[in-house]
Amino acid sequence: NDVTFFTQVVFCFVKTIHEFFRGSKKRMVIFASGRGSNAEALHEAVENGTINAEIKALVTDIPGAACIDKAKSWGVPVIVADRKSFASKQAFEQYILDAIAPYAADVICLAGFMRLLSSDFISHYEHKIINIHPALLPSFRGLHAQGQAVAAGVKIAGCTVHFVVPDMDAGPIILQSAVPVYEDDTEDTLAARILTKEHPTYVRAAALFCDDKLTIDGNVVKGTQE
């Protein structure tokens, strides 16, 4: 009917105006090593317009990783860089740099990528690489962060999205989300609870980045509160 048609026209007009003022979409490349659940959350948010970006490629260091099939189902090119196939870390990283160069990434999202990037790699994308870590940084850096939290007896844990710097899990913090830690928690049960916060937190952080809302002042990220 006429009312429905008018409503659709108004919706399309408002959406067009919003996208115009929002600016062009950012070019995103995702790095992942496993099942790709965070990558999937990012993809869904890109598809529904929550994140103002286009996913140009997915990079993985594991030839049989589940994230490969997910990326292919999205129609996203996959770059496989098996670390064992390279004589050195430098050669491994140079291969990735060369492979992603044509995509001119505005942002690289590490979504469960289990390799530390060197300062040389990071320098090519300074303040353009973001990562999610399953702990409230600066506590519990590195592997098995959830197990570290349980062993330390903390009462609150969570996840952190941060900019990547050469020092492991030490970059400026963008967003954090907290969960309670229970007395009977194990590393696995706490990891599952934190995971429920990881996806929305990463999506929110990536959306802020892609909307040019974030600035870095020293080690403090501003623009996260609206």
Side-chain angles (χ1 to χ4, degrees), residues 149-150 153-158 179-185 190 193-194:
V150 170
V154 299
K155 306 309 178 186
I156 298 174
V179 300
V181 182
Y182 301 127
E183 292 180 357
D184 60 350
D185 262 329
L190 180 57
R193 191 175 308 115
I194 292 173

Side-chain angles (χ1 to χ4, degrees), residues 4-5 26 33 42 58 67 70 72 77 94 118 156 159 168 205-206 220:
T4 302
F5 176 75
K26 294 292 191 288
S33 296
L42 291 171
L58 181 137
C67 59
K70 289 183 179 179
K72 289 180 177 178
Q94 189 58 54
S118 70
I156 298 174
C159 61
M168 180 178 63
V220 176

Side-chain angles (χ1 to χ4, degrees), residues 28-40 42-43 55-62 65-72 74-81 96 99-100 103 108-109 111 113:
M28 178 186 292
V29 174
I30 297 176
F31 285 32
S33 296
R35 64 185 185 274
S37 66
N38 273 305
E40 192 167 28
L42 291 171
H43 173 261
I55 300 175
K56 294 297 186 180
L58 181 137
V59 175
T60 184
D61 61 321
I62 306 297
C67 59
I68 294 174
D69 289 336
K70 289 183 179 179
K72 289 180 177 178
W74 307 332
V76 171
V78 176
I79 298 163
V80 179
I96 296 175
I100 66 174
Y103 300 109
I108 292 175
C109 292
F113 187 66

Side-chain angles (χ1 to χ4, degrees), residues 79-90:
I79 298 163
V80 179
D82 185 356
R83 175 65 180 87
K84 297 189 294 293
S85 300
F86 298 89
S88 65
K89 180 175 182 176
Q90 181 180 7

Side-chain angles (χ1 to χ4, degrees), residues 3-15:
V3 174
T4 302
F5 176 75
F6 178 75
T7 302
Q8 291 175 340
V9 169
V10 171
F11 174 79
C12 291
F13 176 75
V14 171
K15 182 178 179 182

